[in-house]
């Protein structure tokens, strides 16, 4: 059994236009989420989005680990008819939406949502059946 199978609770779908994983609420989830996102984008020939997608997923998974307990979902979607969009979603069981805050220079955290907002074409949150999803869109280079 490879190390990835130990760190991912479940891979739901990695074929076609969608890839989805569920991770335990464990600090190792951040590293594993970055790795699977990069790997999936590579398989879709979207290597140019690998760095930014992995960074933003890292920020959102880290936020989920800090504020929620329970599994964390990560999903990549290539929406039909929108070839220039990659939709990325991170879900957790905490229903409270995240808040952007102004981090002071000496703060060691608090910049994750600012980074998501400034690096994506748009982002937002939505409630789920149990918890919430934070999503962002990246532009696929033409």
């Amino acid at each position: 059994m490879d190390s990835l199978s130990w760190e991912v609770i479940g891979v739901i779908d990695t074929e076609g236009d969608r890839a989805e994983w569920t991770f335990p609420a464990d600090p190792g989830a951040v590293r594993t989420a970055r790795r699977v996102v990069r790997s999936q984008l590579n398989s879709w020939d979207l290597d140019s989005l690998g760095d930014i997608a992995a960074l933003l997923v890292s920020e959102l998974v880290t936020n989920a680990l800090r504020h929620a307990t329970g599994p964390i979902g990560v999903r990549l979607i290539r929406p039909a008819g929108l070839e220039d969009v990659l939709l990325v979603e991170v879900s957790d069981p905490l229903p409270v939406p995240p808040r952007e805050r102004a981090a002071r220079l000496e703060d060691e955290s608090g910049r994750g949502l600012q980074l998501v907002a400034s690096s994506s074409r748009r982002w937002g949150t939505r409630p789920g059946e149990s918890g919430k999803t934070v999503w962002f869109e990246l532009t696929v280079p033409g």
Side-chain angles (χ1 to χ4, degrees):
M1 197 177 267
D2 69 12
S3 64
L4 185 61
S5 62
W6 287 101
E7 298 171 355
V8 178
I9 290 176
V11 176
I12 297 164
D13 179 11
T14 57
E15 297 299 320
D17 297 324
R18 171 185 311 255
E20 186 172 351
W21 305 268
T22 303
F23 302 97
D26 176 88
V30 177
R31 180 183 67 250
T32 306
R34 278 194 308 260
R35 187 171 51 220
V36 298
V37 164
R38 283 181 188 277
S39 176
Q40 185 63 46
L41 291 177
N42 177 271
S43 75
W44 284 344
D45 295 322
L46 295 177
D47 291 321
S48 62
L49 296 178
D51 289 342
I52 191 63
L55 174 64
L56 300 182
V57 164
S58 291
E59 292 294 332
L60 295 178
V61 170
T62 298
N63 283 351
L65 286 170
R66 281 195 181 126
H67 303 289
T69 60
I72 298 165
V74 174
R75 181 166 39 189
L76 305 177
I77 301 170
R78 302 280 317 268
L82 298 173
E83 287 76 29
D84 66 335
V85 174
L86 174 69
L87 175 62
V88 181
E89 301 176 336
V90 176
S91 303
D92 67 60
L94 185 68
V96 178
R99 289 188 349 251
E100 245 186 294
R101 65 182 186 100
R104 299 180 308 242
L105 287 175
E106 64 273 10
D107 289 346
E108 293 185 18
S109 64
R111 293 176 183 82
L113 288 178
Q114 290 175 338
L115 187 61
V116 170
S118 66
S119 301
S120 61
R121 67 190 244 171
R122 47 185 210 136
W123 76 280
T125 65
R126 69 173 183 276
E129 289 180 21
S130 61
K132 67 171 171 312
T133 297
V134 180
W135 59 268
F136 62 88
E137 291 177 354
L138 295 176
T139 300
V140 174

